[in-house]
C-alpha cells in the first residue's frame, strides 16, 4: 500500500521561507516516477506547483513560483522536498504531495494515482 506523508507547512510572513517534505512508502525505487506538489486555495481549483521525474531529475514549475521555489529529490528515501523562498500571500494554500509511475509529469490532477493528505501553508502580508 502506497502512502504519501507531507510535513513542513505552517504560517510565515511574506518574504519568508518554508520547506515542505514528502515521504513515500510503498513505492518502488527502480521505476521512473513523477513526484511533485499541487496546491489548492479556498474557492480555487487545484494548481500544479512543481514536479520532478525521479531518477532523471527533470523538473517543472508553474510560472508563478519559478525562481522562488525549488523541488528536489532523495531517491533512496522515495522523498521529495519543496523549498519555498520569498513567499507571497498568494502562495497561501493547502499543498498536496502527489506521485505516479511515469516518465513524465501530467498536468491534470486526476492523472495522479497517489496523494498525500496535504499540509497547510499560510503566508501573511
Amino acid at each position: 500500500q502506497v502512502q504519501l506523508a507531507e510535513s513542513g507547512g505552517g504560517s510565515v510572513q511574506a518574504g519568508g521561507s518554508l520547506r515542505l517534505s514528502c515521504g513515500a512508502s510503498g513505492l518502488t525505487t527502480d521505476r521512473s516516477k513523477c513526484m511533485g506538489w499541487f496546491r489548492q486555495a479556498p474557492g480555487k481549483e487545484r494548481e500544479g506547483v512543481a514536479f520532478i521525474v525521479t531518477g532523471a531529475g527533470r523538473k517543472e514549475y508553474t510560472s508563478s513560483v519559478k525562481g522562488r521555489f525549488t523541488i528536489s529529490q532523495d531517491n533512496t528515501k522515495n522523498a521529495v522536498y519543496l523549498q519555498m523562498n520569498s513567499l507571497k500571500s498568494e502562495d497561501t494554500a493547502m499543498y498536496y504531495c502527489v506521485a505516479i509511475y511515469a516518465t513524465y509529469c501530467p498536468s491534470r490532477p486526476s492523472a495522479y494515482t497517489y496523494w498525500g493528505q496535504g499540509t497547510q501553508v499560510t503566508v501573511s502580508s
Side-chain angles (χ1 to χ4, degrees):
Q1 184 178 0
V2 174
Q3 289 186 324
L4 304 181
E6 305 101 332
S7 62
S11 297
V12 65
Q13 289 191 330
S17 298
L18 285 172
R19 185 175 186 251
L20 304 184
S21 299
C22 174
S25 60
L27 290 175
T28 61
T29 57
D30 58 353
R31 290 178 61 185
S32 177
K33 298 180 289 295
C34 173
M35 297 184 70
W37 301 87
F38 281 87
R39 66 185 178 186
Q40 188 168 23
K44 295 188 177 181
E45 294 185 352
R46 286 188 178 180
E47 174 192 29
V49 178
F51 301 90
I52 186 167
V53 178
T54 62
R58 189 166 64 248
K59 304 175 184 180
E60 300 174 9
Y61 299 93
T62 191
S63 58
S64 63
V65 308
K66 284 181 181 178
R68 299 189 298 122
F69 290 11
T70 302
I71 189 169
S72 59
Q73 62 176 323
D74 183 338
N75 278 340
T76 63
K77 298 180 181 179
N78 261 340
V80 291
Y81 309 95
L82 187 66
Q83 178 66 43
M84 305 186 295
N85 299 329
S86 302
L87 282 161
K88 306 175 181 179
S89 57
E90 50 263 45
D91 295 317
T92 294
M94 184 71 78
Y95 284 70
Y96 297 91
C97 179
V98 296
I100 183 176
Y101 288 111
T103 57
Y104 73 102
C105 294
S107 60
R108 295 176 295 110
S110 60
Y112 287 82
T113 309
Y114 308 109
W115 287 75
Q117 292 298 310
T119 186
Q120 179 67 37
V121 171
T122 302
V123 184
S124 57
S125 56

